[in-house]
Structure formats: structure tokens, C-alpha cells
Amino acid sequence: MTMTSSAVYALLADGTTVEIRPAGPGDYDAVKAMHQAMSPDNTYMRFFNVSRLSAETEARRVCLDPRPGQASLLALAASPVSGPAVVGVASYVPLRAHPEQAEVAFAVADDMHHRGIATLLLEHLVSYARSHGIATFSAETLSENKAMLGVFADAGLPVRRRFAEGVYQLTFPLPSEVAGTTLDGYLN
């Protein structure tokens, strides 16, 4: 990923400060560790399986093997023991058949759920994607992943849902003056 924006700091719902910044090759071990520490339930919600290889594969995809147009953001929280720790990851990958549409994915550390990390990462990913020609995000979410479905529903973007075999296929246009969905409306 070639994101040039610098880190920003944001407050979570509980008052914790997190740093939001692009992922890079030096983050591989930290991203892998976050995914390895996820519970089997959290791993299943993110990857639709509980493979031992998921953490390594995802860390490589996010940090080491970016494709052109792909973006990955990290949320880091201060740890009194070890310094900043990766507590959330969000990424998008443009679809080959439709490069203006990208599939998004999120993961949040088990002990950081329900604090607003996925929402913050989505907001920053939307902003970055808009400025890089992405017009639509899509995502696949298991029907039992109520937290992630809530993040998408509460984002303020018009979400189209299709349901098949326990999986929601979500598609939502990103704010655009041309499409009639204003950025001001999204930010409100």
C-alpha cells in the first residue's frame, strides 16, 4: 500500500486514544500477533473458518503483499507493558472486474470489541478510498456477526443487503457529490 497520509489520533467510545495509520512491512509481526490472539469465535467471524494459517496469511496480505490500489489501516492503542499494540485492522482490495468497487475487511482484537474501533477504521477507509477513485465498498458478513452488521448499518451510508446461506453480501456507495450522496450528509 502506498498511503502517504500520516497518523491521526482518535478517541474511542470509552475515552481510550488510538492511533490510526497505514500498515507497512514493519507491522507484519504485530498484525500477525493480533490475529493469532483472536478467539476461535472472533477468527471464525472474520475468516469464516478457524485455520491456523489465517493470521499469517492476513498479516502478509495487509503488510507485505499489497496490490496496486489496495489500502490497509491499523488502529494502535498504548499498552503499559509493551508500548503501542495493534488492536484493529481494516483494508480494502479493488475488485478486478470493477476497479471502482472494493471489498472491505475488518478485524478487532478480542479485548477491544464494542469501543468503536471498526467504526473509526471504516470512516478513515471511506475517506481514503474516495480520494483514490473507489466508488463502492462491498463486504461479506456472517449473519451471526451482529457487531459488524451494526457498524455497516450505523455508518450513515445506504447499504444494500443480499442474504444467502448464512452470509450477508453488503454493498454501499461511498459519498460522492456526483452521485447525489453528499459528504456532508455522510459526516452528519
Side-chain angles (χ1 to χ4, degrees):
M1 176 183 86
T2 58
M3 292 180 72
T4 58
S5 60
S6 60
V8 296
Y9 293 87
L11 283 176
L12 300 180
D14 67 357
T16 302
T17 300
V18 292
E19 176 185 0
I20 307 287
R21 66 167 175 79
D27 298 310
Y28 174 83
D29 290 334
V31 170
K32 181 179 171 185
M34 186 203 85
H35 284 89
Q36 285 176 326
M38 288 169 36
S39 70
D41 286 343
N42 197 5
T43 299
Y44 182 74
M45 293 292 182
R46 168 58 186 92
F47 299 107
F48 299 13
N49 68 53
V50 188
S51 169
R52 294 184 345 255
L53 299 175
S54 296
E56 184 176 337
T57 302
E58 184 67 353
R60 183 179 302 110
R61 183 186 72 78
V62 167
C63 300
L64 301 179
D65 296 332
R67 294 190 332 210
Q70 173 177 315
S72 298
L73 295 176
L74 303 179
L76 295 99
S79 167
V81 177
S82 60
V86 174
V87 295
V89 178
S91 62
Y92 73 74
V93 176
L95 303 179
R96 289 185 182 165
H98 303 282
E100 73 287 348
Q101 183 173 351
E103 184 173 5
V104 294
F106 298 83
V108 175
D110 288 2
D111 63 339
M112 298 299 284
H113 283 203
H114 309 291
R115 296 186 187 188
I117 291 173
T119 300
L120 278 172
L121 288 169
L122 176 59
E123 290 168 358
H124 287 272
L125 212 55
V126 164
S127 177
Y128 184 81
R130 283 185 71 247
S131 69
H132 286 83
I134 301 296
T136 307
F137 274 166
S138 66
E140 289 187 348
T141 305
L142 292 170
S143 61
E144 59 264 36
N145 193 346
K146 303 294 184 210
M148 200 66 231
L149 289 169
V151 167
F152 291 130
D154 295 342
L157 298 169
V159 178
R160 291 183 303 264
R161 295 178 179 215
R162 283 191 9 235
F163 182 76
E165 299 179 23
V167 176
Y168 280 102
Q169 174 68 41
L170 308 166
T171 305
F172 43 102
L174 303 186
S176 166
E177 297 298 330
V178 175
T181 306
T182 66
L183 180 58
D184 290 341
Y186 168 68
L187 293 175
N188 286 338

